[in-house]
Amino acid sequence: MEEVRNIKNILENIDKDHFYLLTEVGKISKEINQKSYLVGGMVRDLLLGFDNLDIDIVVEDNAALLADALISKIPNCELSAKHDRFHTAKVIFNINGKKIPVDLASTRTETYEFPGALPSVQRTNSLKEDLNRRDFTINALAVSLLPDSFGNIVDSFGGLEDLKNKKIKVVPNENIFTDDPTRMIRAIRFATKFNFEIEEKTKALLEKAMSSGKFDNLIEKIRGDRVKIEIRYLFNLPNIEQAIKIFFESKVYRMVSTKLMEPESRRVRESESWLVALAFIINKINNNEQEKIMKNLQMTGDEIKIITSAFNANKLLLENKNPDSLFIYKLLKGLSNQSIEILKILCKDVACNVSPIDEYLNNTSKIKLHITGQDLISMGIPSGKQIGEILDKVLEAKINNPNMTKDDELKEAKKFLL
Ligand code: ATP
């Protein structure tokens, strides 16, 4: 990457409504004597050549003042949230029928009472201090939006150099990982996502933190939802095999549970959801531990069900070495696509035959009846629950005998008439 100190030309090439909005924010901040900067992921990604329109703006020094000014001066701009404790606000711009959310935050510093605690936040009038509360140098770049310096990059910690050298390096802060251990998951996420290396000192800090034992089974002690968010990002990456590998190599897995073991084989392919990867990883540990992890990660009932129903189906499959089509049909028919994805991977893992599941997906699940509920009503069956039950029975018969004609199906249905 060549030396870039101003990205006005890059910003001019993003979506024109977003660009307009950034210039307006800059003009209005100047009018009220505030300095506004674009920060975080959008700056990083634009410099890397990726699209990212998640606008995070830091205001030196008062975001609330800028939020008020934007709302009063820009037509159709509304306040969607304001958090006085964190000195942040969210406004929504309506431009050309598009709703564009913008996060505003005052320049601030943070202190942590214990690892993983929510920080207590203090306002500061120093942009540099705000950039120093962030995690990695590549995430601590700011871009001025003020008209006179529009596009100028503020790089207090060498983020541009690290982008160029493909390094994940923490901003100067000895307590970076102890203050907020989720940053360790973020480190391995960005390293995996961009195929960057974790810089030596950062790696040493991470290793020191993870081998201290302080963060073992962390989700039992702190709010697991923040860990869950980061795990979800990590395991949703396309290069999931690499994500799983670094998750274990870096020992970051110990935050979730020290009982986890790196799976022998990495079969979780691209494009599957994070739940598939998580299920694969927790598959080998005992039920109680699995439940504890899912609960401590504050997973939703639906997410837990996706995993547990796959585990239960896997048990039944293991007990039945030669399952026929009907058995597989009954086992899989109520399962979500994600549960079936999990089951496919677990089956491969225990070297059981995966073909019954493919058979179900490619054939059995597509078998349809010629007859409909209307045919049964014509036979004198009153409309209601019984119709569905009989159609199910006929379908089961057809799964055993896919060549059934319409007449065969009607005959089969008659068997179930009272
Ligand atoms: P992505 O959009 O790929 O998730 P991001 O960097 O935008 O990446 P966000 O979670 O939206 O991620 O955070 C925005 C910015 O806020 C980051 O770039 C970073 O500067 C800062 N940040 C976010 N989380 C943390 C954290 N746990 N510790 C320190 N700084 C953080």
Side-chain angles (χ1 to χ4, degrees):
M1 192 186 298
E2 54 193 274
E3 190 75 354
V4 209
R5 289 282 156 193
N6 181 296
I7 61 163
K8 185 171 178 209
N9 61 336
I10 298 182
L11 293 173
E12 278 166 349
N13 281 312
I14 65 171
D15 164 76
K16 69 175 182 0
D17 295 324
H18 285 74
F19 177 69
Y20 164 77
L21 186 163
L22 294 177
T23 55
E24 283 302 293
V25 169
K27 272 188 221 152
I28 293 173
S29 13
K30 185 174 181 193
E31 283 167 27
I32 59 165
N33 270 328
Q34 295 290 313
K35 293 181 182 157
S36 54
Y37 300 86
L38 185 65
V39 279
M42 182 166 167
V43 176
R44 178 200 64 219
D45 288 351
L46 289 178
L47 281 162
L48 285 171
F50 300 131
D51 280 343
N52 183 339
L53 293 176
D54 277 347
I55 300 182
D56 270 322
I57 286 172
V58 69
V59 187
E60 190 185 74
D61 60 320
N62 193 337
L65 288 182
L66 180 60
D68 291 343
L70 292 174
I71 291 156
S72 67
K73 293 179 188 233
I74 297 187
N76 297 322
C77 173
E78 59 203 68
L79 184 71
S80 103
K82 198 169 188 184
H83 300 288
D84 293 336
R85 186 180 153 202
F86 295 112
H87 307 289
T88 58
K90 193 185 195 101
V91 289
I92 313 265
F93 289 78
N94 290 283
I95 305 180
N96 295 329
K98 227 185 281 171
K99 280 188 185 304
I100 306 181
V102 171
D103 284 311
L104 301 170
S106 303
T107 38
R108 60 213 168 119
T109 57
E110 291 172 346
T111 42
Y112 294 79
E113 214 174 303
F114 57 88
L118 275 183
S120 69
V121 176
Q122 303 81 31
R123 261 181 48 203
T124 164
N125 55 11
S126 153
L127 173 67
K128 185 165 180 181
E129 277 182 7
D130 182 282
L131 297 176
N132 204 173
R133 76 169 169 85
R134 293 167 189 274
D135 44 13
F136 309 109
T137 60
I138 61 167
N139 287 343
L141 293 164
V143 170
S144 171
L145 298 178
L146 292 179
D148 304 336
S149 51
F150 189 85
N152 278 359
I153 298 180
V154 180
D155 177 15
S156 303
F157 306 110
L160 285 173
E161 185 70 11
D162 292 331
L163 271 181
K164 191 164 96 187
N165 296 329
K166 299 173 167 263
K167 297 274 185 208
I168 304 297
K169 179 176 173 187
V170 288
V171 298
N173 171 2
E174 282 296 304
N175 302 324
I176 189 102
F177 292 137
T178 43
D179 279 347
D180 178 358
T182 65
R183 291 169 179 161
M184 291 188 265
I185 316 178
R186 290 173 61 84
I188 62 172
R189 156 156 70 104
F190 292 120
T192 309
K193 179 170 177 181
F194 300 127
N195 201 13
F196 277 23
E197 219 180 309
I198 299 181
E199 172 270 344
E200 237 168 79
K201 279 192 191 143
T202 304
K203 205 170 183 180
L205 272 179
L206 198 157
E207 274 168 12
K208 188 171 158 212
M210 281 321 303
S211 9
S212 70
K214 274 194 218 150
F215 304 106
D216 284 357
N217 306 308
L218 188 75
I219 56 172
E220 290 175 10
K221 298 166 221 157
I222 69 159
R223 285 177 44 168
D225 54 345
R226 294 195 53 228
V227 177
K228 174 184 152 183
I229 290 172
E230 290 301 335
I231 296 271
R232 185 171 56 202
Y233 277 129
L234 176 69
F235 289 156
N236 267 336
L237 291 177
N239 37 352
I240 181 66
E241 291 191 9
Q242 179 59 19
I244 293 177
K245 189 161 170 257
I246 194 169
F247 182 64
F248 283 94
E249 259 173 24
S250 63
K251 299 204 165 41
V252 161
Y253 78 91
R254 297 178 72 85
M255 275 190 223
V256 176
S257 165
T258 49
K259 300 216 168 61
L260 294 178
M261 278 168 298
E262 182 167 4
E264 295 139 29
S265 51
R266 288 180 282 278
R267 298 169 195 273
V268 190
R269 294 183 322 263
E270 192 175 322
S271 91
E272 286 154 350
S273 99
W274 72 286
L275 288 174
V276 180
L278 184 69
F280 186 53
I281 283 168
I282 66 173
N283 171 42
K284 290 283 165 62
I285 57 178
N286 74 42
N287 275 1
N288 286 347
E289 198 63 27
Q290 287 168 347
E291 276 166 29
K292 208 164 79 181
I293 290 173
M294 292 191 281
K295 199 177 122 250
N296 286 334
L297 283 176
Q298 298 187 21
M299 289 169 61
T300 65
D302 284 348
E303 288 166 343
I304 294 177
K305 193 170 158 220
I306 286 170
I307 293 185
T308 49
S309 48
F311 285 170
N312 292 338
N314 189 39
K315 252 184 239 148
L316 293 172
L317 256 185
L318 285 173
E319 284 163 16
N320 188 338
K321 288 283 176 226
N322 287 311
D324 63 12
S325 299
L326 186 57
F327 175 85
I328 297 286
Y329 170 80
K330 286 185 175 170
L331 192 69
L332 302 190
K333 116 179 140 159
L335 293 190
S336 65
N337 291 344
Q338 289 190 75
S339 296
I340 293 177
E341 280 301 321
I342 295 172
L343 191 57
K344 276 178 84 167
I345 288 166
L346 299 184
C347 276
K348 281 191 218 163
D349 198 41
V350 293
C352 87
N353 192 352
V354 73
S355 64
I357 299 175
D358 285 332
E359 164 76 13
Y360 170 83
L361 293 173
N362 298 332
N363 300 317
T364 323
S365 64
K366 298 199 173 117
I367 295 177
K368 298 274 174 295
L369 292 177
H370 298 291
I371 59 170
T372 64
Q374 201 50 50
D375 292 309
L376 300 187
I377 291 169
S378 310
M379 285 163 66
I381 304 171
S383 56
K385 204 168 121 214
Q386 205 193 351
I387 300 264
E389 287 167 359
I390 296 178
L391 287 173
D392 278 349
K393 293 281 178 208
V394 179
L395 183 61
E396 287 177 13
K398 188 161 180 174
I399 283 163
N400 278 333
N401 179 8
N403 296 326
M404 280 170 77
T405 62
K406 182 166 184 182
D407 274 352
D408 296 333
E409 289 175 18
L410 286 169
K411 261 187 229 150
E412 186 68 25
K414 277 188 192 137
K415 287 190 198 164
F416 299 103
L417 293 183
L418 295 177

